[in-house]
Every structure is written in structure tokens, then in C-alpha cells.
């Protein structure tokens, strides 16, 4: 389940961490919408699905197309998902929403994996920079 998002928490997150939260938000909203549809609570399911499409829109706006074809592919995926979510909302079809979860989960997982590796890489990079700095100071002092 997503952590409580306060302004303080959001401002402390990197853009990459915020993207991970957006992916998590999509999955959470879709799972909740499925349950609400099964409970015949269509009004609240509608709210969850609208939030999901809002998140997809935000992700699409944040794409950097100069990064290569992956941006274009993600844009197509986000648009496809948004269209399917609208269709699922109209039909009250939870199976379509399950398909959307199947599509987005591997992307969210890959994003989180890269995020974890990047943290490890940046930490080791910092250690190397500090070591290089310490070495240069030791040479100057000698």
C-alpha cells in the first residue's frame, strides 16, 4: 500500500522516486477499482479510475522524447491504458482492469529495480569521489 503522501514527503522525493510512486498509485487504484466494481460500488470505482487516468496523463506529460524510442513507446502504452480504463469504466468490466495491471506491473518493477541499482551506484560513486578527494588532499599535504 502507498505511504501517506504529505507535501513534506513529496518534496523530499527525487523525480525518479515520484515516478515510482505514480506507478504504485496506478496499481493501487486499479486494484481498488476492481474490488469496488465487484461490490457494485460504481461511483467510487469511477473515482479510482479517473485518478488512474490522471496519473497516466501526468506520466505522459513527463516523458522525454529526446531520450529515444522508449518515450514514444511509453506514450503509446499510457494512451492505450487510458482508453482501456475508460472502456472498463463504461462497461464496469474488472477483467480489463486486471489486464492493465498485468501491463503496468513489470514496468513498475523494472523502474524500482533501476531505482535501487542507481542508489547503489550513486553511493559507490560518492565513495569514489570522497576517496579521490582524500587522496588529492594527502598528496598536497605531503
Amino acid at each position: 500500500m502507498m505511504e501517506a503522501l504529505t507535501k513534506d514527503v513529496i518534496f523530499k522525493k527525487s523525480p525518479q522516486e515520484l515516478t515510482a510512486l505514480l506507478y504504485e498509485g496506478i496499481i493501487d487504484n486499479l486494484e481498488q477499482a476492481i474490488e469496488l466494481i465487484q461490490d457494485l460500488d460504481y461511483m467510487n470505482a469511477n473515482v479510482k479510475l479517473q485518478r488512474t487516468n490522471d496519473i497516466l496523463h501526468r506520466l505522459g506529460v513527463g516523458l522525454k522524447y529526446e531520450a529515444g524510442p522508449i518515450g514514444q513507446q511509453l506514450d503509446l502504452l499510457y494512451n492505450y491504458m487510458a482508453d482501456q480504463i475508460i472502456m472498463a469504466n463504461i462497461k464496469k468490466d474488472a477483467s480489463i482492469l486486471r489486464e492493465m495491471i498485468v501491463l503496468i506491473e513489470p514496468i513498475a518493477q523494472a523502474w524500482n529495480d533501476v531505482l535501487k541499482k542507481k542508489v547503489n551506484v550513486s553511493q559507490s560513486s560518492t565513495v569514489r569521489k570522497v576517496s579521490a578527494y582524500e587522496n588529492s588532499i594527502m598528496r598536497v599535504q605531503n
Side-chain angles (χ1 to χ4, degrees), residues 101-115:
I101 292 172
V102 168
L103 285 177
I104 202 68
E105 277 183 334
I107 295 169
Q109 184 60 51
W111 187 266
N112 284 325
D113 290 347
V114 169
L115 198 57

Side-chain angles (χ1 to χ4, degrees), residues 16-82:
Q16 295 81 11
E17 291 169 323
L18 290 173
T19 299
L21 287 174
L22 291 174
Y23 283 134
E24 191 176 328
I26 290 170
I27 294 166
D28 285 348
N29 279 313
L30 288 173
E31 288 172 346
Q32 290 173 26
I34 290 168
E35 288 179 27
L36 291 165
I37 288 171
Q38 290 170 342
D39 294 341
L40 306 178
D41 186 352
Y42 300 132
M43 293 255 306
N44 286 317
N46 178 53
V47 170
K48 295 294 181 184
L49 296 175
Q50 286 178 5
R51 286 183 185 159
T52 304
N53 273 351
D54 287 346
I55 294 170
L56 287 167
H57 176 74
R58 289 174 197 272
L59 285 167
V61 168
L63 290 172
K64 294 183 179 179
Y65 295 100
E66 60 275 3
I70 190 77
Q72 294 168 344
Q73 294 297 316
L74 284 172
D75 189 41
L76 290 172
L77 176 67
Y78 297 156
N79 287 328
Y80 171 77
M81 289 183 68

Side-chain angles (χ1 to χ4, degrees), residues 76-139:
L76 290 172
L77 176 67
Y78 297 156
N79 287 328
Y80 171 77
M81 289 183 68
D83 291 345
Q84 290 297 106
I85 289 167
I86 290 168
M87 187 58 62
N89 199 6
I90 291 168
K91 293 180 175 183
K92 307 304 180 217
D93 188 342
S95 67
I96 295 172
L97 300 178
R98 284 187 202 94
E99 291 173 18
M100 297 306 99
I101 292 172
V102 168
L103 285 177
I104 202 68
E105 277 183 334
I107 295 169
Q109 184 60 51
W111 187 266
N112 284 325
D113 290 347
V114 169
L115 198 57
K116 287 175 191 171
K117 287 179 183 176
K118 187 174 181 182
V119 168
N120 293 336
V121 168
S122 67
Q123 288 173 346
S124 63
S125 173
T126 302
V127 169
R128 282 195 305 266
K129 288 177 185 174
V130 169
S131 295
Y133 174 73
E134 288 171 347
N135 287 338
S136 67
I137 288 180
M138 294 304 284
R139 279 187 236 132

